[in-house]
Each structure stands twice: as C-alpha cells, then as structure tokens.
Amino acid sequence: MFHRMLMSFCLLAALLAEPFSAGAAEPFTFADVQARAQDLAATAYVPSTPVPDFLTKLNYDEWSSIRYLPEKALWAEEGLPFTVQFFHPGLYYDMPVRMHIVNSDGVEDITFDTSLFQYGSEELSKQVAQAKNMDFAGFRLHYPLNRSDYRDELAIFLGASYFRALAADTHYGIYSRGLAIDTATSQGEEFPYFREFWIVKPAADAANITIYALMDSPSMAGAYRFIITPGAPTVMEVKCALFTRKGAKNFQKIGLAPLTSMFFYGEEKNGRPGDYRPEVHNSDGLLYVNGDKHWFWSPLANPKRLSVNTFPLPNPRGFGLMQRDSDFKSYQDIDAKYEQRPSLWVEPEGDWGPGTLNLVEIPTEDEMHDNIVAFWTPDKPRDKNNPDQPEAELRYPDTQMYSWKLYWMQPQTSRHGLGQATSTRISRNADTMTFHVDFAGGELATLPEDTGLASIVETPEPIPLLEKKLLRNDATGGWRLEFTVRLPKEEGVIESLMAARKGPVNLRFRALLKKGENLPDPITETWIYDWQLQPQ
C-alpha cells in the first residue's frame, strides 16, 4: 500500500513539474555543442570522409559553374530578413560539412540534394547524383545590407574554419577563422575545420542571426557560437570552448581570433614594375591597443623571406588588420575595388591573461594568395611547483573558454581619436635609408604650423639615427616625419646577425608625435616598422 501511494505521488509530482511541456522539443544551445566537442576530444581523431576525387579534381571554372539556385534558398518564401544558400563540395573544399536548422520543433537536418544546384554540365550532374554520402561544403547568409528590396551576401563560412563578412558598402576581402594551430612554426601548421553547423531560424523581425559550429582537428575540438548583426559595421559576437584532444601532440602555440588577409605591395614600393596600379592589398596595417590604452600601428609588408613579428600584449583590449587607405586613386583597379575592402577589428571580452600578438607575413609573387596572418597567442601556464620547467614541456590547459567581438568595418574607419600613421614610404641609397611617415587626423588637423610639435624616434642596434625632421603637410592636413638611418655596411655584419638568430632578422623602428618631448601623452599612435635584414 505504501509503495503504491509513493509511486502515485511521484507520478503526480512529475506531471505537475512541467505541465505544459509535453511533446515540446528541448531548446538547442551552446551547451549542446560544447558537450559534443568535449566528447569528440575524448576520442581519437577521425577526419570526415572526403568528397569523391572527381569533385576535388575540378578546376576553379568548373567548380564555379555549379550554382546554388536562389529560389531554393532557405526561408526564401517566408519573408524572413535572412536567407541561406549552400556551397557545393569540390575544388579545394574536400571536407563535407553537415548542416542543421534549429527551430521551435527542435533540430532538423538539411540534406544534400542535387536539385538545389545548377550544374555546368549534364555529365557532372549525373556523377554527383550517383555519389554516396554527399554533403555541403559550407554556406552563405543573405540579408538586405545595402537596400531594403535586395538581399545582399552578408557572410560566408567555407573551407576549414574560415569565414568572412561584409559591412554596408564594402566588398569581400579579409577573412577570419575559428582557430590557428602552429602557424609559422617548425612543426608545420594544422588547420582545424568546422565539420557541423546549426543555424537558428530567425524571427520575422530579427536584427541578428545565431549560428553554432563544431570544430575538429587532430589536436583539438571546439564549440563555437556566432551571433551576427548586419550593418556598418557588421558585428559578430563569438564564443568558443576549446578542448585539447586526448593523446594529442604538444603543439607549440594556438592563435585566437586569427585574421587572414592579402598584402602584395603598397605605397612604400612606389608601384611595381610592369603593373599600372600604385598599390594592391586587402589590408595595409596591423592596429592594436594595449591595457594602458596606448595605440600602435604596424604597416604591412611583402617580405623576401617569411617574417614572424611578435608584440607583447597581455590581456589584449583590441587588434585588427585594417584597410586604412580608401582612395580609388591609390589602387586604380576598377574590378577589384581594393578601396572598398573591409577592415576587421577584434575586441576581446574578459581577461585573456598573458600572451603575445603575432603578425606573420609570407612572401608572395601575386595577389591571388592571402599572405598575411594576425592572431593572439596565450602563454602556456607554468607549473607553480616546477618554475624551471623547460619551454618544450609546457602545455595548454585541457579546456579553454574565450569570447570576442569581430567588427567588419568600412575602410578608413578609425578606432581612436589620435593622429594616425596614414602612409609609410622609404627611400635608400648604398648605406642610408630614409623613412617618410605621414601622420594625420586627431589634433593634428588643427595645430598651427608653429606648434612646438616633437617627434620621438627609436632605432634598433646596430642602426644609428643620422637626422630627423618634421614638416607640415598641407595636402593631408597633417605632418610628415622624415628620418634617416645608416645601414650596416661592414662586411659580415648582417650575416653574423642572421647566424646568431638562426634565420631572418627583423629590426624594429618606432616613432610617434607629441606636443612636447617632455609631455607624457602622445597625440598620435605609435608607428612600428619591422625591417627585414637581407644578406648583401
């Protein structure tokens, strides 16, 4: 009797606990993706089954001839602010990606179907139809970004963990990605990839859209959430949980909020022989701010050898690859529209702890290859009980959580009110080099010519400063700093420096402007230039 009463009571309590939830689906959240990533990290790495060889052997024109049918876009007939179109696998995109929708009924799979695409040839269409276990390569979001009666492309998630987005009145350029592992290290880079996405169906009046992603790689697994709000700028709120895979190698470094761009040449080269265009680049400099709210600008370069520049940056407040020059006259490229390529700014949330900002510049002989990478690397924590632990034995925590915002901005958008380093030009002869650095904006536009403006210039050893001068530049409304340094000319000096550092040597120059040399606060950002020494 007692047991019957107890069972009846438990049943009644269970019914009363959630009286209106019968048959309703549990909401899908970031915690679900996080649990999947944690489970994935506890197992041996098994890559997704690659797409059929005949698709990866397609050339660019053949792959591009496969077009998603716009009328088949997700939510195309529902009047929602966002729609979704999918990419066909092939060419470089050899890893299939599973796609899901999250709606009020729960999670629904999006199944690959050849009827969603228009193929360049009937033969290719038949081959794809006969292939097994097909899936998509990625997707793109559409939204009325520039005018209310047309849904522009807003963002693309395609290839490994790469993605990019647009601000209003911009053209695609710079990328971001989920994570960088061992970029520009002796171990060789590992490319994590998003193997699964969940797109949350937006409301009819939604101002943003939420996307979840599951990341995988031989060394790590991760859960990601993206909240994307279109506009000028377009803002992505990113949250990730990273899990080191059981039994993974001790990778050297991870890169958070990695940015990938292209810099072929800029004003410092004064054009390129055989090319009619003065400049060619998606971004022209690295901007960052430290915890003391000091701002720094490092112009990008296309070096002759791989260049890895590092900047100490504990608990970063912001960094980004910027397209500061937005004047068509600087590019003269009607098709590429480099003056409309977006800048991309990273704003970390919370305390990221000690770490370093990295800028990797890769030599390139054309503009087709992205050769610039920037990311922030957290320091590996030391064992408090073993302060003398060798660097090679230090390991990242098994679980790491980070959040940041990405601002896809119109070019020339400023992140601060100081004067900016707007251009860097270099002239040289046999044994000297002169830098011509223009500063403009902020207070500089209103300072009279007789202002006691001071320049602070720092040169590295063994490069002496010979002279410097500061000139008013009426054409820009700013000031031009010119300073000359003497290059090493003794035989064997450069070679000995390179031998001591076991590779290319970057010498760092710094400059900024103040109202007076003894005043503490600068009125411009600090200009930083890393010059790569080359053998004579």
Side-chain angles (χ1 to χ4, degrees):
M1 182 70 176
F2 172 76
H3 291 293
R4 290 180 184 172
M5 291 175 62
L6 181 60
M7 289 176 64
S8 298
F9 176 78
C10 292
L11 179 60
L12 180 61
L15 292 172
L16 291 176
E18 295 186 13
F20 303 109
S21 64
E26 290 291 329
F28 187 88
T29 68
F30 177 72
D32 293 292
V33 190
Q34 186 174 339
R36 290 180 184 232
Q38 195 164 11
D39 290 342
L40 201 60
T43 63
Y45 173 68
V46 179
S48 299
T49 303
V51 304
D53 287 343
F54 74 88
L55 286 172
T56 59
K57 291 178 180 178
L58 297 176
N59 61 37
Y60 180 78
D61 289 337
E62 290 170 331
W63 180 76
S64 298
S65 71
I66 307 172
R67 298 186 178 276
Y68 191 89
L69 298 171
E71 62 271 20
K72 299 292 184 71
L74 198 60
W75 310 315
E77 303 299 325
E78 297 186 41
L80 302 184
F82 297 88
T83 60
V84 184
Q85 298 183 21
F86 300 98
F87 286 103
H88 199 286
L91 190 61
Y92 323 115
Y93 311 112
D94 59 350
M95 302 298 283
V97 176
R98 296 184 62 192
M99 301 295 310
H100 314 276
I101 304 172
V102 180
N103 55 33
S104 57
D105 295 326
V107 176
E108 296 180 9
D109 296 337
I110 304 175
T111 305
F112 179 89
D113 191 334
T114 55
S115 68
L116 299 174
F117 298 91
Q118 176 183 325
Y119 290 87
S121 70
E122 187 175 344
E123 180 184 355
L124 179 58
S125 176
K126 289 180 179 179
Q127 281 184 291
V128 176
Q130 293 170 1
K132 297 180 180 180
N133 301 319
M134 289 290 292
D135 244 318
F136 301 103
F139 67 96
R140 61 180 173 229
L141 297 174
H142 289 248
Y143 179 86
L145 185 63
N146 295 303
R147 65 178 206 243
S148 60
D149 61 340
Y150 181 78
R151 289 190 179 92
D152 309 273
E153 283 192 28
L154 171 66
I156 288 175
F157 287 76
L158 178 66
S161 67
Y162 284 87
F163 57 93
R164 58 181 175 174
L166 293 170
D169 301 317
T170 61
H171 285 254
Y172 279 130
I174 189 170
Y175 287 83
S176 186
R177 50 180 160 147
L179 187 70
I181 299 179
D182 280 342
T183 303
T185 67
S186 58
Q187 291 189 174
E189 184 162 9
E190 178 179 310
F191 288 91
Y193 71 103
F194 289 137
R195 64 185 301 159
E196 205 161 350
F197 286 98
W198 294 262
I199 304 174
V200 180
K201 185 176 182 178
D205 59 349
N208 55 46
I209 188 169
T210 299
I211 296 165
Y212 300 106
L214 178 65
M215 188 200 75
D216 197 12
S217 84
S219 297
M220 302 193 81
Y224 284 76
R225 184 196 67 191
F226 302 89
I227 301 176
I228 304 173
T229 305
T234 288
V235 182
M236 288 188 181
E237 300 173 50
V238 185
K239 180 179 182 179
C240 74
L242 303 174
F243 303 94
T244 300
R245 188 168 234 110
K246 184 179 180 180
K249 68 178 182 180
N250 188 10
F251 43 91
Q252 293 183 29
K253 63 182 179 182
I254 61 172
L256 296 176
L259 313 178
T260 300
S261 193
M262 181 276 292
F263 183 90
F264 190 21
Y265 60 90
E267 72 269 348
E268 87 290 350
K269 294 292 185 184
N270 198 26
R272 182 178 174 88
D275 200 322
Y276 73 96
R277 299 168 297 180
E279 302 178 38
V280 176
H281 51 75
N282 286 339
S283 307
D284 53 6
L286 171 69
L287 180 69
Y288 68 95
V289 58
N290 65 15
D292 295 325
K293 296 184 179 180
H294 291 165
W295 291 82
F296 302 84
W297 172 260
S298 181
L300 299 181
N302 180 4
K304 293 184 178 180
R305 301 185 180 190
L306 176 69
S307 176
V308 181
N309 304 321
T310 58
F311 309 88
L313 192 61
N315 193 21
R317 297 296 87 203
F319 63 91
L321 291 174
M322 318 299 281
Q323 183 73 317
R324 191 165 269 184
D325 191 340
S326 61
D327 189 345
F328 171 77
K329 294 179 182 178
S330 298
Y331 306 99
Q332 295 292 333
D333 195 320
I334 295 174
D335 295 322
K337 293 181 169 51
Y338 288 115
E339 72 280 1
Q340 296 182 32
R341 303 295 172 102
S343 296
L344 181 50
W345 180 253
V346 180
E347 187 177 273
E349 297 188 328
D351 186 348
W352 282 16
T356 304
L357 182 60
N358 296 255
L359 174 63
V360 179
E361 297 167 318
I362 305 167
T364 184
E365 287 299 321
D366 61 54
E367 64 201 271
M368 303 307 296
H369 297 95
D370 290 325
N371 64 321
I372 304 295
V373 186
F375 54 86
W376 188 84
T377 295
D379 289 348
K380 293 180 180 179
R382 291 189 173 275
D383 185 348
K384 296 179 181 179
N385 299 319
N386 185 12
D388 299 323
Q389 190 176 12
E391 195 76 24
E393 294 181 7
L394 298 179
R395 298 185 66 90
Y396 286 112
D398 290 340
T399 303
Q400 301 177 69
M401 299 279 290
Y402 295 96
S403 296
W404 62 91
K405 288 183 179 179
L406 293 172
Y407 292 85
W408 306 81
M409 306 181 300
Q410 294 167 332
Q412 207 178 31
T413 302
S414 178
R415 298 299 302 182
H416 59 72
L418 297 171
Q420 300 178 358
T422 57
S423 68
T424 300
R425 294 176 171 85
I426 301 172
S427 56
R428 58 181 298 181
N429 58 30
D431 62 352
T432 65
M433 182 164 62
T434 301
F435 291 91
H436 311 262
V437 184
D438 277 315
F439 291 92
E443 290 185 60
L444 296 176
T446 58
L447 290 177
E449 192 167 352
D450 59 354
T451 298
L453 203 58
S455 61
I456 308 298
V457 176
E458 298 177 7
T459 64
E461 291 290 341
I463 310 293
L465 175 66
L466 299 183
E467 63 176 348
K468 66 174 182 175
K469 58 182 177 180
L470 193 57
L471 307 169
R472 177 75 178 177
N473 188 340
D474 292 329
T476 64
W479 298 72
R480 175 170 293 180
L481 171 63
E482 296 181 349
F483 64 94
T484 302
V485 300
R486 187 178 302 283
L487 303 176
K489 60 180 180 178
E490 294 82 4
E491 188 174 350
V493 170
I494 293 178
E495 286 77 6
S496 63
L497 283 170
M498 294 179 68
R501 302 194 189 184
K502 299 180 180 180
V505 176
N506 289 344
L507 298 179
R508 181 163 292 177
F509 299 86
R510 290 171 174 259
L512 57 85
L513 304 185
K514 291 185 174 185
K515 284 186 178 178
E517 289 194 15
N518 297 324
L519 295 177
D521 295 326
I523 61 171
T524 68
E525 61 197 12
T526 299
W527 169 89
I528 299 176
Y529 191 88
D530 287 297
W531 179 58
Q532 191 178 72
L533 274 176
Q534 298 292 336
Q536 306 246 348

